[in-house]
Amino acid sequence: MVFGSRLPQATAFADLLATEGVTRGLIGPREAARVWERHVINCAVLTELLAVGSEVCDVGSGAGLPGIALAIRRPDLHVTLVEPLLRRTTFLVEVVAQLGLANVEVSRTRAEELHGRRDFSVVTSRAVAPLPRLLSWCMPLVRRGGEMLAMKGSSAAEEVAAATPVLSQWTDATAEVLSVGGNLISVPSTVVRVQATRPSRLG
């Protein structure tokens, strides 16, 4: 229902997370038993919010979540995984090669180092930082008319409320708290969406 003909790649990714991902400290050992619902499908459903052919930047990609899950489910996307730590990017490069994901590139860098150099239609993240800091990293990478999609937990609405003064620096729109994947997983994914109503290269 989620991956269709791409299920073999999704299964291979889940297996890598549950083995190499745990061994290399990218996910906790207790997460291995629930890697499908809590990680792979939880992230893949984010594609419900992505337009066809979107250029996606996944900031702080870590073990490839949500970026690799998005790229597996939606081969029409072009996904750039941004991750500064060598041990994580090494894992990501290996996963991309093993799964044959031609629509993914891995960039070992910090998001701030891409400001003014690249922009994207969508910038994603998952449990990377509090919303005010995340906005300063991600929004300069979102081209005008695009959006930031931040996967958050149950306190997403409180984070948005606390970040209201900072939000006004980056957008004229109101941040939305969305639930996705409710028809596929028992606990829907919570996403904060911030639309970019101004040019991406902000001073």
Side-chain angles (χ1 to χ4, degrees):
M1 290 178 62
V2 178
F3 291 101
S5 63
R6 311 270 286 180
L7 182 59
Q9 288 168 299
T11 300
F13 180 43
D15 290 345
L16 286 166
L17 288 175
T19 54
E20 289 294 314
V22 173
T23 302
R24 300 189 192 192
L26 301 178
I27 68 169
R30 286 183 290 185
E31 298 300 305
R34 49 186 182 177
V35 70
W36 273 104
E37 180 162 321
R38 188 175 174 85
H39 297 289
V40 179
I41 298 177
N42 172 274
C43 289
V45 296
L46 190 62
T47 57
E48 295 176 12
L49 302 176
L50 302 181
V52 174
S54 293
E55 295 176 70
V56 180
C57 176
D58 187 31
V59 169
S61 195
L65 299 165
I68 288 180
L70 303 179
I72 293 173
R73 191 182 193 196
R74 289 276 301 279
D76 62 285
L77 304 174
H78 184 276
V79 181
T80 300
L81 309 177
V82 173
E83 172 56 54
L85 295 184
L86 177 60
R87 67 184 176 87
R88 294 176 180 169
T89 54
T90 299
F91 174 78
L92 293 173
V93 168
E94 292 173 4
V95 170
V96 168
Q98 287 186 45
L99 302 187
L101 297 176
N103 60 329
V104 179
E105 67 172 290
V106 179
S107 177
R108 187 189 168 202
T109 188
R110 297 182 182 278
E112 307 95 301
E113 295 171 359
L114 296 178
H115 291 178
R117 294 171 46 205
R118 296 188 65 179
D119 60 15
F120 304 85
S121 48
V122 181
V123 177
T124 62
S125 63
R126 181 181 191 242
V128 171
L131 192 55
R133 197 184 318 160
L134 200 57
L135 288 163
S136 69
W137 292 343
C138 295
M139 290 304 288
L141 297 174
V142 185
R143 66 177 61 114
R144 191 170 190 174
E147 58 192 13
M148 180 187 88
L149 298 174
M151 300 188 71
K152 290 288 185 178
S154 58
S155 62
E158 289 83 354
E159 277 201 60
V160 169
T164 298
V166 180
L167 275 165
S168 63
Q169 298 175 23
W170 303 101
T171 181
D172 301 315
T174 301
E176 302 173 87
V177 179
L178 308 173
S179 291
V180 293
N183 59 325
L184 296 169
I185 45 180
S186 57
V187 180
S189 298
T190 301
V191 182
V192 174
R193 176 163 66 185
V194 180
Q195 296 179 321
T197 58
R198 301 172 189 168
S200 62
R201 294 179 176 85
L202 304 177

